[in-house]
Amino acid sequence: MSETMIPPELVAPAFNPATFANRDDVHAIFTRLRKDYPLSQVEVPGYDPHWIVTKYADLREIARQDEIFHGGDRSKTLISQAGEELVKQYTGGQSNIFRSLVQLDPPEHQKYRSVCSGAFSLDGIKAALPGVEATAKIFADKLISLAPECDFAAEIAFLYPLKVVLDLIGVPEADHAKMLELTQWLFTYADPDLKRPGSDLTDPQEITRTWGIVFEEFEKYYQPMIADRQQCPRHDLASVIANGKIDGGPMEHRALISYFIIASTAGHDTTAATTGHGMWQLAMRPDILADLKANPDLIPGFVEETIRWASPVQQFVRSATQDYEIKGRTIRKGDLVYLSYLSANRDEDAFPDPFTFDHRRSPNRHVGFGFGGHTCLGIHLARMEMIALWKEIIPRLKSVELTGEPRMAESEFVCGPKSVPIRFEVE
Ligand code: HEM
């Protein structure tokens, strides 16, 4: 029988964004937890107690039950007590600054999700394919023009998915850089290169302050666009969201702004992280590049493995609305539950040889896109855009190697390589 309480010193580093700069350190923590504390609680100083869910099957069991495990009653992401206290001051008692889909719970969640579910369905996304393929070609051409060396993360991985999703929303190209910056303040608030300038990371409330600023910046940016699209709807996602109806009426203001925020943030940093990992693997493993060049129909499987491998969303937190029995343990009503997607995707009981990148892995039922009612809304778009990019790049890439160590962002939330320096030859 495994232990019920995890020694705090074992988990404390996983609550620290800096640890995530070193993938081996992070995996060592979660591998140990899967083995000795697969479903146990921890009380890290400065944080409320959390159940840490590290096993694939447990994560799916919990994530599937979104009536029982809520996203909006407490902070949806890991936050210190001091940070959550400040959120409550900002919001008049709520635990989240944002009210996007991830923080909404049934029955409200489904109503908000339906506003965009058509646009993000397989059929909805098909309409976007020609535009996405054209963008993929632009970025493949850019890569070729940069030969023989570039930083793939900075030049391609960050910028391609940004353009794909912001074009769909209807954000003018001149504003894409601003959107990238705000996203990085939000998701990588603690990374020395990507954080909001001037933020003071020694202060445990800094995350809340930064997120408050990010909300206000997006609100200022999107309010005129919302008014414009409500008066003159166009064929873009901004028009779909701005005119979305809940029970026949308009969306609540904070939820409307948050809808724009999640669409403009969740849709690219995650994909960028995954794409950066993809090139990193190609640079380490010439056998994979050769196989993909000879068998382009393996590209979708390669993409799927990059998502499992990268697991860019490290965690989301749920809180229990009632007592719940699992593995002989009782999660009590009100308890916080930390879902480690990263750990579940390396679970030895779910994936043979989980620490081997296997682009031919089949089946590959990873939880990189989450699981249950909150499964990534952009799942089809993400796959489609990554497949489109690799289909352009792989036939033109003769060889690739690293010219230095890729550098991971310091983030315990959305995390991926911020630099992948490569030398490459083109066909
Ligand atoms: C939700 C991962 C790309 C939009 C999620 C969740 C994960 C995730 C793990 C689950 C959140 C939870 O458990 O509460 C990823 C990964 C991506 C990706 C790994 C790329 C490789 C995208 C794209 C979009 C997007 C391209 C497009 C805008 C969303 C939205 C949600 C979400 C709106 C909230 C869904 C809900 O709560 O109902 N994503 N995502 N994501 N994702 Fe993605």
Side-chain angles (χ1 to χ4, degrees):
M1 186 69 176
S2 57
E3 301 292 330
T4 330
M5 288 304 291
I6 313 173
E9 62 278 11
L10 202 62
V11 178
F15 280 28
N16 176 358
T19 308
F20 286 75
N22 187 326
R23 224 34 179 184
D24 291 344
D25 291 353
V26 176
H27 281 304
I29 296 168
F30 286 109
T31 300
R32 169 85 196 279
L33 294 182
R34 280 193 304 280
K35 182 167 161 286
D36 295 334
Y37 306 90
L39 184 75
S40 305
Q41 259 189 314
V42 69
E43 199 164 348
V44 171
Y47 292 80
D48 282 349
H50 283 74
W51 289 89
I52 309 286
V53 180
T54 56
K55 297 290 284 180
Y56 177 85
D58 298 340
L59 187 145
R60 285 172 36 127
E61 180 173 338
I62 290 169
R64 187 167 57 224
Q65 306 193 64
D66 53 1
E67 298 271 356
I68 299 179
F69 294 99
H70 273 188
D73 301 348
R74 294 292 305 275
S75 176
K76 180 74 193 255
T77 52
L78 188 64
I79 195 165
S80 65
Q81 289 157 336
E84 196 172 9
E85 204 38 59
L86 189 60
V87 173
K88 286 185 178 153
Q89 286 174 33
Y90 280 7
T91 58
Q94 313 275 329
S95 283
N96 291 285
I97 288 182
F98 305 99
R99 276 196 89 221
S100 76
L101 289 181
V102 290
Q103 289 93 5
L104 293 174
D105 293 303
E108 217 183 1
H109 169 253
Q110 197 45 45
K111 294 179 189 174
Y112 276 84
R113 193 165 159 121
S114 346
V115 168
C116 277
S117 48
F120 282 104
S121 67
L122 264 178
D123 276 347
I125 287 308
K126 251 186 226 153
L129 182 61
V132 171
E133 285 178 339
T135 305
K137 182 159 182 344
I138 292 171
F139 278 88
D141 289 346
K142 179 180 176 189
L143 177 67
I144 302 307
S145 76
L146 291 169
E149 281 189 17
C150 77
D151 183 338
F152 183 79
E155 299 285 354
I156 310 290
F158 277 124
L159 303 182
Y160 164 67
L162 181 75
K163 179 164 166 56
V164 167
V165 77
L166 295 182
D167 284 354
L168 284 181
I169 296 174
V171 174
E173 189 120 24
D175 300 330
H176 290 190
K178 179 188 174 71
M179 294 282 143
L180 178 60
E181 185 177 54
L182 290 178
T183 304
Q184 289 174 334
W185 293 2
L186 182 63
F187 289 158
T188 38
Y189 66 91
D191 184 277
D193 300 322
L194 307 174
K195 73 184 182 77
R196 180 175 67 84
S199 61
D200 170 13
L201 296 174
T202 57
D203 179 348
Q205 292 189 320
E206 191 59 55
I207 177 173
T208 305
R209 215 162 284 125
T210 290
W211 288 19
I213 290 168
V214 168
F215 184 92
E216 280 171 12
E217 289 283 321
F218 273 118
E219 187 179 37
K220 248 190 284 165
Y221 182 83
Y222 274 120
Q223 245 161 351
M225 191 188 275
I226 291 169
D228 173 68
R229 298 307 199 272
Q230 285 173 342
Q231 275 174 6
C232 308
R234 301 185 200 173
H235 288 291
D236 59 21
L237 201 55
S239 302
V240 174
I241 303 174
N243 294 293
K245 295 273 177 286
I246 305 298
D247 295 331
M251 288 190 211
E252 181 270 322
H253 176 75
R254 205 149 58 86
L256 174 61
I257 300 298
S258 301
Y259 219 126
F260 274 92
I261 295 176
I262 197 166
S264 355
T265 56
H268 57 91
D269 224 35
T270 45
T271 317
T274 309
T275 306
H277 271 290
M279 184 56 90
W280 184 349
Q281 285 305 307
L282 291 182
M284 309 257 293
R285 299 268 310 274
D287 60 305
I288 299 179
L289 181 59
D291 200 17
L292 295 177
K293 285 172 85 66
N295 304 289
D297 54 329
L298 294 177
I299 289 177
F302 167 72
V303 164
E304 222 47 48
E305 181 68 343
T306 58
I307 302 161
R308 183 191 75 87
W309 189 256
S311 286
V313 178
Q314 311 296 295
Q315 44 85 18
F316 266 122
V317 175
R318 306 285 200 267
S319 61
T321 60
Q322 61 183 64
D323 289 1
Y324 187 82
E325 294 285 330
I326 176 169
K327 274 203 170 135
R329 303 270 153 82
T330 307
I331 297 176
R332 298 272 171 214
K333 179 177 175 176
D335 282 358
L336 291 169
V337 184
Y338 171 116
L339 303 181
S340 173
Y341 303 100
L342 180 76
S343 173
N345 278 340
R346 291 291 202 284
D347 185 351
E348 301 74 4
D349 292 335
F351 301 96
D353 219 353
F355 283 91
T356 298
F357 185 98
D358 179 4
H359 63 292
R360 285 177 174 254
R361 186 180 293 279
S362 177
N364 193 354
R365 298 197 189 94
H366 61 77
V367 286
F369 287 118
F371 193 70
H374 288 280
T375 297
C376 180
L377 185 65
I379 187 168
H380 303 305
L381 174 63
R383 284 180 174 141
M384 184 247 268
E385 66 180 277
M386 289 189 281
I387 291 170
L389 182 70
W390 291 119
K391 275 189 175 165
E392 284 290 337
I393 289 180
I394 283 169
R396 298 159 81 180
L397 193 62
K398 192 169 169 194
S399 69
V400 56
E401 61 183 357
L402 293 174
T403 54
E405 247 326 279
R407 287 191 305 133
M408 293 291 291
E410 297 185 16
S411 175
E412 84 297 0
F413 177 26
V414 178
C415 184
K418 58 183 177 184
S419 163
V420 181
I422 54 169
R423 181 178 304 118
F424 57 103
E425 289 179 300
V426 296
E427 294 284 5

